[in-house]
Amino acid sequence: NPNYLPFVVIPMMAVGLTALIAFIMQLVGLNQARKDDPYFRTAFIFVFVGVAASIVSFLTGGTFGNIFESISAVASLIVSVYTILGIYDFADEMGNTNVMLHGKIALFVGATSFAVSVIFHIIPVFIPRIEYIFDLFSSVLEFVAYFVFLIYVGRAKNMLSEKA
């Protein structure tokens, strides 16, 4: 229904912009941190898996596109989880229990949001008529997850700058 299109497109655009900012920050940060911790090395690899899956999804569309969009969402989840675990390791080494606690919260919120988002990308593969509704829900959940993730990365940055 075209009347609902703005309610789908606007949140998807917000998620896209937030995702782009997070992606750039991830690439820069992961590239620097991958030498220090194996969690960051794994996350760095999955960034490129997610990018490849997103490109295939964008170019194909339909059911095949939804499958690759799900792969991209799983890759994003893996990147986020491994990044949070790497930051958690740094916080543990530095004895920063506050950042460690926020890491547990970010891991739970982020993993839950992305996992539900993956499910919302898979359901339209089997029931295509409800794709727009699930795209809207996925966009909102991914936005929340990116926001929580960016806040945690900001806390980690502050922690590392205080130590330096």
Side-chain angles (χ1 to χ4, degrees):
N1 189 346
N3 295 334
Y4 297 113
L5 197 56
F7 297 109
V8 174
V9 172
I10 292 171
M12 289 177 71
M13 288 173 60
V15 167
L17 180 60
T18 306
L20 179 63
I21 293 168
F23 175 72
I24 292 168
M25 288 177 64
Q26 278 179 337
L27 275 183
V28 171
L30 291 174
N31 188 42
Q32 293 172 350
R34 68 187 168 114
K35 300 168 190 108
D36 299 325
D37 192 282
Y39 285 126
F40 293 117
R41 257 190 307 267
T42 302
F44 191 73
I45 292 166
F46 275 95
V47 165
F48 294 103
V49 171
V51 168
S54 291
I55 291 170
V56 171
S57 171
F58 178 76
L59 294 176
T60 59
T63 301
F64 196 68
N66 282 341
I67 291 168
F68 276 89
E69 183 65 31
S70 297
I71 292 169
S72 176
V74 169
S76 291
L77 171 62
I78 292 169
V79 169
S80 297
V81 167
Y82 276 90
T83 301
I84 291 169
L85 291 173
I87 293 169
Y88 187 91
D89 273 359
F90 283 152
D92 189 27
E93 288 174 18
M94 297 172 75
N96 192 324
T97 56
N98 189 29
V99 172
M100 291 170 64
L101 173 63
H102 284 98
K104 290 177 184 179
I105 294 168
L107 188 60
F108 177 76
V109 170
T112 302
S113 298
F114 277 115
V116 171
S117 178
V118 168
I119 292 168
F120 284 171
H121 281 294
I122 292 173
I123 291 172
V125 169
F126 303 103
I127 311 169
R129 285 179 263 138
I130 60 172
E131 182 175 0
Y132 292 119
I133 293 170
F134 281 100
D135 280 348
L136 174 64
F137 290 142
S138 292
S139 295
V140 170
L141 284 173
E142 288 174 12
F143 182 78
V144 168
Y146 280 124
F147 188 72
V148 169
F149 179 76
L150 288 174
I151 288 173
Y152 186 61
V153 169
R155 289 183 188 274
K157 181 182 173 278
N158 290 340
M159 173 188 72
L160 294 171
S161 67
E162 288 172 7
K163 187 71 174 177

